[in-house]
Amino acid sequence: MSWTLAQRAHKMNPSVIREILKVTEKPGIISFAGGLPSPSTFPIEAMAEATARVFAQDGRAALQYSSSEGYGPLRDWVANDLKKLGMAIHPDQVLITTGSQQGLDLIAKVLIDTGSRVLVETPTYLGALQAFTPMEPEFVSVNSDAEGVDVADFSAKAPAARFMYVLPNFQNPTGRTMSAERRVALAKAAAAAGVPLVEDNPYGDLWFDTPPPPALSSYEPDNSVYLGSFSKILAPGLRLGFIVAPKAVMPKLLQAKQAADLHTPSFNQRIVAEVLKDGFIDRHVPTIRALYKRQCQAMLTALSEHCTGLLEWNAPDGGMFLWGRLPAGVDAVQLLPLAVEHNVAFVPGAAFYADHADARSIRLSFVTASEEQIHTGIAALATAIRQMQQRP
Amino acid sequence: MSWTLAQRAHKMNPSVIREILKVTEKPGIISFAGGLPSPSTFPIEAMAEATARVFAQDGRAALQYSSSEGYGPLRDWVANDLKKLGMAIHPDQVLITTGSQQGLDLIAKVLIDTGSRVLVETPTYLGALQAFTPMEPEFVSVNSDAEGVDVADFSAKAPAARFMYVLPNFQNPTGRTMSAERRVALAKAAAAAGVPLVEDNPYGDLWFDTPPPPALSSYEPDNSVYLGSFSKILAPGLRLGFIVAPKAVMPKLLQAKQAADLHTPSFNQRIVAEVLKDGFIDRHVPTIRALYKRQCQAMLTALSEHCTGLLEWNAPDGGMFLWGRLPAGVDAVQLLPLAVEHNVAFVPGAAFYADHADARSIRLSFVTASEEQIHTGIAALATAIRQMQQRP
């Protein structure tokens, strides 16, 4: 055996969700499992036109190596766009990343030593756990309710923590949004404890009726790192995200970025900068919001009709997911194969807990299936739960 | 101070080369410093046409999330293309990466623990040192000459090493190519010592007259990881590379890839797969070879004319770089500012050594400047060296 693996490699595991998605790739299945944006929202025509312009005007620069920081006009756009969240930042604080997943990887490299205490919500985004795990932290779950992080529990667990990771808007997996009061309180408590906040906001633009409260990072910017993404407002296949960081950490994040992939594709950055010109996003994103709101409403209606008494669920104010809880005695992992027999799939919520998983929780995505499929699928889910309850 | 950095962050440094490139960004300077492919070789028209076809035929899939392994037809193309290097591999062994720099990052995560012994050539590729450094290895330089790695020195230093990193074709920085005999001997010695080889081959297609010998990885494939890139044969701004790995490590590399950026942009992968159809590369790459051969010849001629007695240099059989050695008493780092005053730039070779740097070595790129600029720039370099020698 000539291959000696690093210790961290033994802690890495295949994505539970990707493994589940393989199981659910059965023809005819209605899947509420994936976190895939609806491809009908991808602005193909606008992107094709922008790409043709980039090739014509700027082709050689778009195909050449470029700076690790990212493309200037795109960094400018991000800095300006974040004003809407109450963030006053300079474009120099923006680092363009290969999706916001890479932002999580860079943060892990720069802030986590083996055994470092890292605080997360209960439950939390699985992709963040996966990005942090190779640097071998000790995860600590902070109690959380429908309004987000329990600030008293945060303060109790804060000592010696390297940072707390928070996804405040339409959280993956729960769909919940952190209230404005909690944000203010958490930002203050974190600054007082000397524990930085890592705020992840991939879904913030996908609100149904009202924009979410100001960004957590707007209150104590020098104690915060903010992660954003173009995956949900344009298209995930571009792999474009960004980090906003204060001067205390930006130079190290930049060095980690250089070492990781030199820079995010200049080609993709220039195309998106070209698409974003002239307020395209302001015309485009409302169409995504309207679609996802309709589909969420369809799921809530179907749940009321078919699942009353079989499931508890929340009603998100935006995003892509809602969160359900099965009746006592029904385990989500055991339910899944039976649901798949009935041609419907979901993700068992246990995967999203750093510890003390709730085996009865499930995540349902309402953005990939059509309204008609949502009704059929939720009815099938109800049948599966009922059968599960009748098993001896 | 709320930001406690990870120990590894203190070991990360800004890229010496990127810092040097900033110094040399003076208007009118002739730069032999950068490693930028000539933008005149970027096949803009073919890429623009391929992109339009991808949008028209496959737009939604190209913009959606996709598998971490990479796009099937691109993996197939890679597996087939590598036959020319004597490698018999299955497409399942190909992992598409965000540039081959990311391949180095993933290898570091999977194979390096703090203090792990990692063998490198003397000198070696700076980007690899940077990619490996965050995982905190102990680098050990293996003696190398014009034919590549000294196999006896490798065997002496091999015990307990995690792997040896080798760039056998038209090496960055030296331009040297490892002989076929050395490859066979190194592959055998590595297998005997139980030390895997990590073979990096970004320049292999850029030969002038004769293809290089079979890949190092062709001899002991189960003991080898191979890294390839589309940066030098198509365009670096796409950030597309790949790893070929045996079953013993592929699952962990794939998990590290998922955690790092989920997947390489599906958009870029599909465009390149479309460009590669119908043998485009077989028509395109010979035009790059011919250009770089002419420019290399121009530099060798200019060196003979202006630098005889002031510099020793080699004559590469391909690639982008040649390697020079200044006369006794002339330090390359001290020479650089004087050269920049004379409107010419290079990279001091010291940056490329893991230890015991040769302060008299310099790297010269012959691909970015035109033939005329090469003559002017080499004459200016000679003037600077002469002035340096005359300093007290």
Side-chain angles (χ1 to χ4, degrees):
Chain A
M1 250 317 279
S2 51
W3 297 94
T4 302
L5 300 183
Q7 283 181 39
R8 77 180 66 77
H10 299 291
K11 298 193 181 172
M12 301 189 304
N13 286 301
S15 160
V16 182
I17 291 193
R18 285 180 178 252
E19 296 307 304
I20 286 169
L21 291 180
K22 282 182 194 164
V23 175
T24 63
E25 274 171 7
K26 176 182 145 184
I29 206 161
I30 295 170
S31 180
F32 306 134
L36 305 183
S38 172
S40 69
T41 66
F42 300 160
I44 293 183
E45 205 176 313
M47 293 220 23
E49 287 167 12
T51 305
R53 286 199 297 278
V54 166
F55 274 123
Q57 295 161 13
D58 222 8
R60 295 193 198 286
L63 295 174
Q64 186 57 284
Y65 284 117
S66 65
S67 77
S68 300
E69 290 86 345
Y71 181 52
L74 190 60
R75 299 169 81 201
D76 293 345
W77 186 91
V78 167
N80 189 60
D81 187 60
L82 291 177
K83 288 179 190 164
K84 73 185 178 202
L85 302 182
M87 293 171 67
I89 59 157
H90 190 275
D92 284 354
Q93 290 175 256
V94 179
L95 174 63
I96 304 293
T97 56
T98 309
S100 65
Q101 183 74 20
Q102 187 187 45
L104 297 168
D105 173 71
L106 302 179
I107 286 166
K109 281 179 177 147
V110 167
L111 294 179
I112 302 175
D113 282 310
T114 303
S116 290
R117 194 173 170 86
V118 168
L119 308 183
V120 298
E121 293 176 87
T122 307
T124 188
Y125 171 52
L126 175 62
L129 295 177
Q130 289 179 314
F132 299 157
T133 291
M135 299 304 117
E136 305 180 80
E138 181 207 343
F139 289 115
V140 177
S141 286
V142 176
N143 296 343
S144 311
D145 59 24
E147 278 190 67
V149 178
D150 175 335
V151 179
D153 195 52
F154 165 81
S155 294
K157 291 172 176 167
R162 285 293 167 91
F163 62 86
M164 168 141 198
Y165 169 75
V166 192
L167 203 164
N169 296 324
F170 323 128
Q171 196 219 23
N172 183 354
T174 60
R176 72 185 172 213
T177 296
M178 198 170 180
S179 68
E181 296 69 26
R182 286 282 179 93
R183 292 176 199 229
V184 175
L186 179 61
K188 275 190 189 163
V195 173
L197 296 175
V198 173
E199 175 179 23
D200 195 359
N201 188 25
Y203 312 107
D205 281 307
L206 305 181
W207 45 269
F208 297 154
D209 296 310
T210 329
L216 198 49
S217 304
S218 66
Y219 300 107
E220 299 281 352
D222 286 339
N223 195 44
S224 306
V225 166
Y226 175 94
L227 296 164
S229 174
F230 292 100
S231 290
K232 310 305 184 296
I233 59 172
L234 281 176
L238 300 166
R239 309 307 303 122
L240 266 188
F242 53 88
I243 304 182
V244 176
K247 283 190 185 135
V249 280
M250 183 52 104
K252 290 297 171 189
L253 289 170
L254 179 60
Q255 289 158 25
K257 169 69 181 167
Q258 286 181 358
D261 64 2
L262 300 182
H263 61 83
T264 292
S266 23
F267 181 59
N268 304 233
Q269 294 187 62
R270 283 175 188 252
I271 291 170
V272 167
E274 182 70 25
V275 168
L276 293 170
K277 267 185 182 172
D278 312 322
F280 171 79
I281 279 293
D282 298 331
R283 300 188 297 278
H284 178 60
V285 174
T287 66
I288 308 177
R289 284 180 198 135
L291 175 71
Y292 289 1
K293 181 183 172 180
R294 271 201 313 277
Q295 295 189 185
C296 181
Q297 193 52 57
M299 188 171 280
L300 292 170
T301 304
L303 284 166
S304 293
E305 192 175 325
H306 301 291
C307 289
T308 303
L310 296 173
L311 194 74
E312 291 167 16
W313 63 89
N314 62 355
D317 298 321
M320 297 170 45
F321 306 106
L322 62 76
W323 190 239
R325 190 150 197 256
L326 295 161
V330 181
D331 180 288
V333 172
Q334 288 171 4
L335 177 65
L336 182 61
L338 185 59
V340 170
E341 277 178 35
H342 286 278
N343 289 321
V344 62
F346 58 85
V347 178
F352 299 95
Y353 291 81
D355 48 38
H356 303 339
D358 178 359
R360 286 161 57 191
S361 60
I362 65 173
R363 188 190 76 175
L364 298 174
S365 161
F366 47 78
V367 304
T368 317
S370 69
E371 290 181 63
E372 196 189 330
Q373 288 173 322
I374 286 172
H375 276 277
T376 311
I378 292 295
L381 178 65
T383 306
I385 299 172
R386 222 174 264 117
Q387 285 189 5
M388 199 72 190
Q389 285 183 311
Q390 285 155 9
R391 283 194 183 171
Chain B
M1 250 318 281
S2 51
W3 295 95
T4 303
L5 301 183
Q7 282 182 40
R8 78 179 67 77
H10 299 291
K11 300 194 181 173
M12 300 189 306
N13 287 302
S15 161
V16 182
I17 290 193
R18 284 180 179 251
E19 296 307 304
I20 287 170
L21 291 180
K22 282 182 194 164
V23 176
T24 63
E25 273 169 6
K26 179 182 143 184
I29 207 161
I30 295 171
S31 180
F32 306 135
L36 306 182
S38 173
S40 69
T41 66
F42 300 160
I44 294 184
E45 205 176 313
M47 292 219 25
E49 287 168 12
T51 306
R53 286 199 297 276
V54 166
F55 275 123
Q57 296 161 11
D58 220 9
R60 295 193 197 287
L63 294 174
Q64 186 58 285
Y65 283 116
S66 64
S67 77
S68 299
E69 290 88 343
Y71 181 50
L74 190 59
R75 300 170 81 202
D76 293 344
W77 187 90
V78 168
N80 188 59
D81 187 59
L82 291 177
K83 287 179 191 163
K84 72 186 178 201
L85 301 182
M87 293 171 68
I89 59 158
H90 190 275
D92 284 354
Q93 289 175 258
V94 179
L95 174 64
I96 303 293
T97 57
T98 309
S100 65
Q101 184 73 21
Q102 187 185 46
L104 297 169
D105 174 72
L106 301 178
I107 286 166
K109 281 178 176 149
V110 168
L111 294 179
I112 302 176
D113 282 310
T114 303
S116 290
R117 192 175 173 85
V118 168
L119 308 183
V120 298
E121 292 175 88
T122 309
T124 187
Y125 172 52
L126 176 61
L129 295 176
Q130 290 179 313
F132 299 157
T133 291
M135 300 303 117
E136 305 180 81
E138 182 207 342
F139 289 115
V140 177
S141 286
V142 176
N143 296 342
S144 312
D145 59 24
E147 278 188 68
V149 178
D150 175 334
V151 180
D153 195 51
F154 164 82
S155 294
K157 292 171 175 167
R162 284 293 167 91
F163 62 86
M164 170 145 196
Y165 169 75
V166 192
L167 203 163
N169 296 325
F170 325 127
Q171 197 219 24
N172 184 353
T174 60
R176 72 184 171 214
T177 296
M178 198 170 180
S179 67
E181 296 69 26
R182 286 281 179 94
R183 293 178 198 228
V184 175
L186 180 62
K188 275 192 190 162
V195 173
L197 297 175
V198 173
E199 176 178 25
D200 195 1
N201 188 26
Y203 312 107
D205 280 307
L206 306 181
W207 45 269
F208 298 153
D209 296 309
T210 328
L216 199 47
S217 304
S218 67
Y219 301 107
E220 298 281 350
D222 287 339
N223 195 44
S224 306
V225 166
Y226 175 95
L227 296 163
S229 173
F230 291 101
S231 290
K232 310 305 184 297
I233 59 171
L234 281 175
L238 301 166
R239 310 305 304 122
L240 267 188
F242 53 88
I243 304 181
V244 176
K247 283 190 185 134
V249 280
M250 183 52 103
K252 289 297 170 187
L253 289 170
L254 179 61
Q255 290 158 26
K257 169 69 181 168
Q258 285 181 357
D261 63 3
L262 300 183
H263 61 83
T264 292
S266 23
F267 181 58
N268 304 232
Q269 294 188 61
R270 282 174 189 253
I271 292 169
V272 167
E274 182 70 26
V275 167
L276 292 172
K277 267 186 184 170
D278 311 324
F280 172 79
I281 280 293
D282 298 332
R283 300 187 296 278
H284 178 60
V285 174
T287 67
I288 308 177
R289 283 178 200 139
L291 175 70
Y292 288 1
K293 180 182 172 182
R294 271 200 312 278
Q295 297 190 184
C296 181
Q297 193 52 55
M299 188 170 278
L300 292 170
T301 303
L303 284 166
S304 293
E305 192 174 326
H306 300 291
C307 289
T308 303
L310 297 172
L311 194 74
E312 290 168 15
W313 63 88
N314 62 356
D317 298 321
M320 297 170 45
F321 306 106
L322 63 76
W323 192 239
R325 191 151 197 254
L326 295 161
V330 181
D331 180 289
V333 172
Q334 288 171 4
L335 176 66
L336 182 61
L338 185 59
V340 170
E341 279 178 36
H342 287 278
N343 289 320
V344 63
F346 58 85
V347 178
F352 300 95
Y353 290 81
D355 49 38
H356 300 96
D358 178 358
R360 287 161 57 193
S361 60
I362 66 172
R363 188 190 75 175
L364 298 173
S365 161
F366 47 78
V367 303
T368 318
S370 69
E371 290 181 64
E372 198 189 329
Q373 289 172 322
I374 286 171
H375 276 277
T376 310
I378 292 294
L381 179 64
T383 306
I385 299 171
R386 221 174 264 117
Q387 284 189 6
M388 199 73 190
Q389 285 184 311
Q390 284 155 10
R391 283 193 183 170

